[in-house]
Amino acid sequence: MRATVTAHSDYTIARIDDRVYGAFLEHLGRAIYTGIYEPDHPTADGDGMRGDVAQLVRDLRIPMVRYPGGNFVSAYNWEDGIGPRDQRPTRLDLAWHTSDSNQVGIHEFAAWCDTVNTQMMLAINLGSRGLDEARNFLEYVNGPTGSYWGDLRKKNGRADPFDVKLWCLGNEMDGPWQVGHKTAYEYGRLANEVAKTMRAFDKSLELIVCGSSHSNMPTYPDWEREVLEHTYDSVDHISLHMYFANREKNTANYLSLNEKLDRYIGTVASTINFVKSKKRSKRDVYISFDEWNVWYHSNKQDRAILDGNSGWPHAPRLLEDIYNFEDVLQVGLILNTFIRRSDVVKLACIAQLVNVIAPIMTDPKGQAWRQTIYYPYYFASIYGRGTALQLAVNTPGYDAEHGDNVGYVDISGVRNEEEGTVTFFAVNRHGSDSIDLEVSLEGFAAATVIDHQVMTHANLEAVNTAADQHNVAPRQGAGARVDGSSLSVRLPPYSYQMIRIKA
């Protein structure tokens, strides 16, 4: 089987915003407690943060981390997480039917972000709370000393403002499961007033308004239209969320889900353009895809806690999906889609980062290790920065639930002009056939292959564990070569590859 691609230096999509490789940490399960924070862990620093986890996060070069939720934020009182730790209250979290000790709050999270070289993306509670609490939180985080909230921040150990620029105006407010769920009209009006108030404090903030929780919501896409009609001139991004599952154990359909993702992005992009035209606005609003990942492996085991049958446990094992090799392919496909839609998707956050549907897993007092999906996320974050190329792809395909003639080869290309490199990320969706891929390199200087990484496995269900951390891992590829202006490489069945060339 054979596929061809044309990559031309003059045909590009957009400059990729580095923040499309962001992540998410919620006060949910073990994401925070025994995830990033475990004071009695052998690697813990002076703030109680796990050093082994911090190193795995630093390796990913994550540009931003969304915090503290998620569904959690819609009943969260940010004031509970400041001041002396021994005076902080334990609260019951209605979103996940657990309790939270508030031992980690804005100060501790900010210090951790500094440690791992990332920026904060903060979400505010527009479920159980509203404008005044949002205003106060913003002033506490970013305000000067000499004001009430700035002086309180100084009293709590931080004189300088945190200077957070990215703010989410609530979370999934279209969802009936959300504490403080609202109609599009109710939410749009509130979000606009909050955005205006925050802009009065600092016009340089980037504000994200809630879009649909997923594309199967009964209010989608009219939710986007109505919310944007209220907020278009006050916000910078609209959020989208999507999770991916293979409950039916149908790999072909599972690996076609990024076709649905692409349509989701396209529909919301068109809605943005509609509202922009209707308002005769000169501003552009972009997409923040601030929750995405595979999520289904842990659903059954989570029911006892989520149904309230286990009381109110603190930091229980929740949403701890153990990812397999099949999920490597899915995450690669999702990231390829974001690269190809870099004209409109400017922010994105893998949900989540540690333990909770995450690329990094930990054992309390024990090891931290990379799940299978860590690797495609790593390769995209490190090497997927630059300008997305508009590739012309000719590949055999198959019909699936989420699209007709879905290409067996899914590929994206990124040119980094500063480094003089072009990187291709390729997935072969075919389960039994290798595909000989030929990429015509037009408009580039003489090229040479400088790196080739391959991920394959005989078992789609293969996983990584604390005892066998490298069962699913990349290996150095062989056979990728450039002959003149043509790059050729063989893609084994069910494989993920990264090929980098100097050009």
Side-chain angles (χ1 to χ4, degrees):
M1 195 173 293
R2 184 171 178 271
T4 60
V5 173
T6 300
H8 197 294
S9 61
D10 290 340
Y11 295 109
T12 62
I13 299 169
R15 183 79 182 178
I16 299 166
D17 193 317
D18 290 351
R19 297 174 300 176
V20 81
Y21 303 118
F24 177 32
L25 277 169
E26 182 172 0
H27 281 245
L28 193 179
R30 298 192 308 117
I32 303 297
Y33 305 107
T34 72
I36 66 169
Y37 175 76
E38 190 176 354
D40 58 353
H41 192 270
T43 69
D45 63 17
D47 295 322
M49 299 299 183
R50 288 183 59 149
D52 55 350
V53 172
Q55 187 56 56
L56 291 174
V57 173
R58 277 192 292 271
D59 290 346
L60 290 166
R61 285 179 53 198
I62 296 169
M64 66 183 187
V65 179
R66 181 172 174 246
Y67 173 87
N71 293 348
F72 172 84
V73 80
S74 290
Y76 176 58
N77 300 329
W78 65 267
E79 303 93 333
D80 292 342
I82 62 174
R85 281 177 169 169
D86 61 359
Q87 297 177 26
R88 296 182 190 178
T90 293
R91 300 286 190 186
L92 302 184
D93 171 35
L94 301 176
W96 304 106
H97 215 277
T98 57
S99 63
D100 192 286
S101 64
N102 283 297
Q103 293 302 289
V104 173
I106 183 64
H107 287 264
E108 292 79 20
F109 182 68
W112 179 80
C113 286
D114 289 342
T115 298
V116 300
N117 304 317
T118 194
Q119 300 295 315
M120 290 189 286
M121 177 187 197
L122 294 180
I124 58 178
N125 177 356
L126 291 187
S128 66
R129 309 186 85 180
L131 189 152
D132 212 35
E133 293 83 2
R135 176 178 67 85
N136 294 343
F137 188 29
L138 172 61
E139 189 175 321
Y140 184 88
V141 172
N142 284 0
T145 55
S147 69
Y148 173 80
W149 292 110
D151 285 346
L152 182 59
R153 182 189 65 242
K154 180 180 179 181
K155 179 182 177 182
N156 290 330
R158 171 89 180 208
D160 294 334
F162 293 107
D163 195 29
V164 176
K165 293 299 184 184
L166 287 167
W167 293 82
C168 301
L169 306 179
N171 174 76
E172 293 186 354
M173 299 310 299
D174 63 325
W177 58 84
Q178 202 72 208
V179 173
H181 162 64
K182 294 171 176 61
T183 65
Y185 174 81
E186 291 168 335
Y187 171 68
R189 287 280 296 119
L190 174 60
N192 187 57
E193 293 306 313
V194 171
K196 285 164 49 183
T197 302
M198 296 178 77
R199 293 261 187 243
F201 179 86
D202 182 354
K203 291 182 173 58
S204 70
L205 300 178
E206 287 187 66
L207 304 180
I208 301 104
V209 72
C210 291
S212 292
S213 301
H214 54 79
S215 61
N216 293 332
M217 293 295 292
T219 52
Y220 163 81
D222 202 49
W223 172 276
E224 280 79 4
R225 176 198 60 77
E226 186 166 356
V227 167
L228 284 173
E229 285 180 354
H230 287 294
T231 64
Y232 193 89
D233 289 318
S234 300
V235 302
D236 303 284
H237 309 270
I238 186 165
S239 72
L240 302 185
H241 295 172
M242 184 172 176
Y243 292 98
F244 301 75
N246 187 18
R247 296 183 180 88
E248 297 78 18
K249 299 301 179 184
N250 185 320
T251 300
N253 282 337
Y254 180 53
L255 297 183
S256 73
L257 272 166
N258 73 318
E259 298 285 311
K260 182 178 180 179
L261 169 63
D262 188 72
R263 290 194 298 273
Y264 187 17
I265 294 168
T267 298
V268 175
S270 297
T271 305
I272 292 170
N273 288 333
F274 169 78
V275 176
K276 178 180 180 179
S277 297
K278 184 176 180 179
K279 287 186 165 290
R280 311 301 194 261
S281 179
K282 295 181 179 180
R283 300 183 73 254
D284 288 315
V285 170
Y286 296 102
I287 289 172
S288 173
F289 220 108
D290 49 39
E291 287 188 33
W292 68 268
N293 205 349
V294 173
W295 177 17
Y296 75 100
H297 298 286
S298 62
N299 291 165
K300 290 183 180 179
Q301 69 195 46
D302 290 338
R303 285 318 327 163
I305 293 173
L306 298 181
D307 290 342
N309 298 327
S310 299
W312 299 89
H314 181 265
R317 292 183 179 270
L318 269 176
L319 280 63
E320 296 199 6
D321 272 35
I322 304 303
Y323 292 116
N324 58 33
F325 174 70
E326 185 180 57
D327 301 324
V328 170
L329 305 178
Q330 183 63 264
V331 168
L333 293 165
I334 295 165
L335 289 163
N336 276 355
T337 305
F338 290 158
I339 290 169
R340 292 193 295 261
R341 298 312 305 258
S342 56
D343 57 327
V344 65
V345 178
K346 300 299 183 181
L347 313 175
C349 303
I350 191 170
Q352 294 185 22
L353 186 55
V354 185
N355 287 331
V356 174
I357 47 175
I360 299 169
M361 288 295 293
T362 73
D363 278 337
K365 300 183 181 179
Q367 298 184 70
W369 66 95
R370 301 169 184 85
Q371 289 230 68
T372 64
I373 65 169
Y374 182 98
Y375 296 103
Y377 179 40
Y378 168 83
F379 286 130
S381 179
I382 302 302
Y383 301 114
R385 305 191 185 205
T387 299
L389 295 174
Q390 182 70 62
L391 305 178
V393 181
N394 185 0
T395 174
Y398 67 99
D399 292 339
E401 179 181 349
H402 304 292
D404 295 332
N405 197 30
V406 176
Y408 282 120
V409 173
D410 186 280
I411 187 169
S412 66
V414 179
R415 185 182 191 188
N416 187 317
E417 293 187 76
E418 291 78 14
E419 296 181 357
T421 60
V422 178
T423 303
F424 297 100
F425 305 99
V427 175
N428 180 2
R429 292 184 174 105
H430 204 292
S432 57
D433 288 0
S434 294
I435 297 178
D436 291 318
L437 176 66
E438 183 174 323
V439 182
S440 177
L441 303 169
E442 300 185 8
F444 296 99
T448 56
V449 176
I450 57 174
D451 195 9
H452 180 202
Q453 299 290 328
V454 180
M455 293 190 73
T456 59
H457 205 285
N459 180 10
L460 287 175
E461 300 294 326
V463 302
N464 292 341
T465 65
D468 190 359
Q469 298 184 16
H470 305 291
N471 182 33
V472 179
R475 58 176 172 81
Q476 192 69 40
R481 67 182 188 278
V482 175
D483 184 7
S485 61
S486 180
L487 166 68
S488 60
V489 62
R490 172 162 285 193
L491 309 179
Y494 286 150
S495 63
Y496 168 89
Q497 299 202 32
M498 181 195 74
I499 308 104
R500 299 184 70 225
I501 63 172
K502 193 79 173 177

